[in-house]
Every structure is written in C-alpha cells, then in structure tokens.
Amino acid sequence: MESGQPSLEFVCPRCGVSITETIEEVPSYDVLADRESGAQGYAEQSVTCPGCDQKFAVDITNTGACLLADLRNENIHVSVIDDPINAPEDSWEVEAYQRENLPTDPAKIFKFATYDIGHIAAEMEGRGLIDALNRMLLVQYFSAIEAYLSDRLIRLVLDDPRAMSALVKGNKEWVADKIGVVELASNPNAFRDWVHTRLRELMYHNFVKIDHYYRSTLGSTIFPDEATKKTLMEFVPVRHDCVHRYGRDHNGRERSMSKPDLDRLGEALERMVAHIEAAFARRVEAG
C-alpha cells in the first residue's frame, strides 16, 4: 500500500490482526442533487484479512464532508486513513449556518414570502402568458409553505426536548439508524444535530407524511379541516408538474392556472399556517 493513499483500517474480529487496505473507489458526491440523501455517494469494497483469509464487505459513504466506512454485518469500527475529502473548516459552513439561523417566527416569514403573489397575479391578469406566470407563482406558494413547515417543525424539535423525544420514539423510519460512538464522544450535540439533519432532508410538500411528524411533535394535525386538506392535496400534483414537467401533465397537456386557482391555494395555505400557529401557541401556553 502506498503512503498517502486513502485507506481502510480495522481489526479483524476473527483473529485480531490489524487490517489496512487501500480504498479502490472513492465514491463521488453530487453537489447538484436536490436532497442530501441523493447527493451522498456509496461504494462497496471486499477486504480479505491477511491473517485468517476471512473476507469482509465494507460499505463506504461520501457525505460531502468526509468518507465514512462500515463493516457490513459487524459491530466493528472502520477508520478512513488519509481521507481525500476535506471537511469544511469554516465556522459558517452550511449546516452550522442553518442551525444557528432558524427564524424565530416562521409564520411571519411565510406572510412576507407570499405577500406579493396576489398583487402580481392581479396585475398580469389579461396579459399574455398569464398561465405560465401563475404556474411560477404556484411554485412560489409551495416554496413558502415548505420553508414554513420545515422551520416551524425544526424550531419546535430543537427547542423542546419532549417534542424531540416524541418524534424519535414514534418514527418507524429511523428505527434502524445509528450514531457512531466516536461522534457521540466528540460532539455533545451529535444526537440533536442528527435529528436536525434528518428533518432538513424531508420533502415538506408531502403534506400527508409531514402531518405525521407534526402529530408526534406538536400533538396536532397540520390540516384545519377536511375541506382545506382536500384543496391542498389537489394542488400537490400540479406543483409536481410545474416543477418537473415544465407545467405539463404526464400526457403532455399544459396545466391551466387562473388567478382564482391561486387565490384558492393561497387561502388554504393561510388557513393551514393559522391553524398550526394556534396549536403552537397553545402548546407554549401550556408549558
């Protein structure tokens, strides 16, 4: 093995021999991916112990900050030597900035983000390309509500240990996830940061799934009533087509979007935010 080469290092659980093996393939990291889970690269490498000829499967993950390696089906720590991925040293790196700059009033940010949408739609009504503009404004509405739902949920969970505990205990998707002992020992906030990262990875326009998260943490649904829920669910596939299909459905037909449609969506979103804020206020008041 050449010095300075990225390598795997662990102790054979069968015979106790120290194993050092050069990493054959450094997985890539996609900086253009929409979600962290889609950005991380993965590789698998087979390693043979020189002492007992036992073969081991090692899973390697590029997190964008470093390489992590795990010995499959074994509770054995695998170290990465000469990691070629440079961990950010800047104290203002993205995750730290987001943790330290969560808005204290997500509802106010939502109002600011949506304030001009109705005015723009009214001003442009009757002019050419109004459908195209309205589809853009619909995406803006969803961007605003996703930011609100994310910020309100993360703020609640990070500020209230009871909410965090309830969320983790009731989340079946996280049952098999683990936090390394070394990370826990070196970072007193490792668990809190781990939960924060998981919450940032969610797609907040998936209202049904996000509703489960809010039920666990806030003790309330995000939907003020069934009529509002029905309206919002009606616009979810429209949003998908506007974002992913240039405003056309799966048959290639252009989505029509009028100002009354936008008004109906905006009013439903405002009812959702008001409902969540009321539930949040009741929780704060109850202590």
Side-chain angles (χ1 to χ4, degrees), residues 26 43 72 74 76 90 115 125 145 162 178 246 254 277:
V26 175
R72 190 179 300 170
E74 300 282 352
I76 302 296
D90 189 349
Y115 179 78
E125 193 169 20
I145 195 60
R162 296 173 304 166
K178 299 177 182 178
Y246 302 101
E254 187 175 88
E277 287 299 300

Side-chain angles (χ1 to χ4, degrees), residues 94-108:
V94 175
E95 289 195 10
Y97 181 85
Q98 290 177 332
R99 284 195 297 269
E100 296 165 8
N101 291 274
L102 281 171
T104 56
D105 192 345
K108 182 179 292 186

Side-chain angles (χ1 to χ4, degrees), residues 174-245:
W174 296 351
V175 170
D177 288 354
K178 299 177 182 178
I179 303 176
V181 174
V182 174
E183 185 178 357
L184 288 170
S186 59
N187 178 12
N189 294 317
F191 176 65
R192 189 172 185 268
D193 293 347
W194 179 88
V195 172
H196 183 204
T197 299
R198 298 287 83 75
L199 292 180
R200 286 198 299 104
E201 292 173 348
L202 295 174
M203 294 188 296
Y204 284 86
H205 57 267
N206 186 343
F207 294 139
V208 174
K209 181 173 182 176
I210 297 305
D211 185 50
H212 290 299
Y213 281 73
Y214 269 87
R215 286 175 183 271
S216 295
T217 57
L218 188 59
S220 171
T221 175
I222 64 175
F223 303 111
D225 51 60
E226 282 300 316
T228 300
K229 179 179 179 179
K230 182 178 180 181
T231 297
L232 292 175
M233 298 308 297
E234 175 187 332
F235 282 101
V236 170
V238 181
R239 174 221 169 261
H240 177 273
D241 290 344
C242 290
V243 172
H244 298 283
R245 297 177 183 272

Side-chain angles (χ1 to χ4, degrees), residues 2-44:
E2 297 181 20
S3 177
Q5 290 291 312
S7 309
L8 305 168
E9 186 176 87
F10 62 96
V11 176
C12 177
R14 304 292 188 268
C15 66
V17 168
S18 294
I19 302 172
T20 303
E21 188 82 9
T22 301
I23 295 178
E24 298 171 353
E25 176 191 356
V26 175
S28 61
Y29 183 87
D30 185 2
V31 296
L32 299 179
D34 293 331
R35 301 177 60 198
E36 179 62 23
S37 58
Q40 295 186 0
Y42 303 91
E44 175 188 333

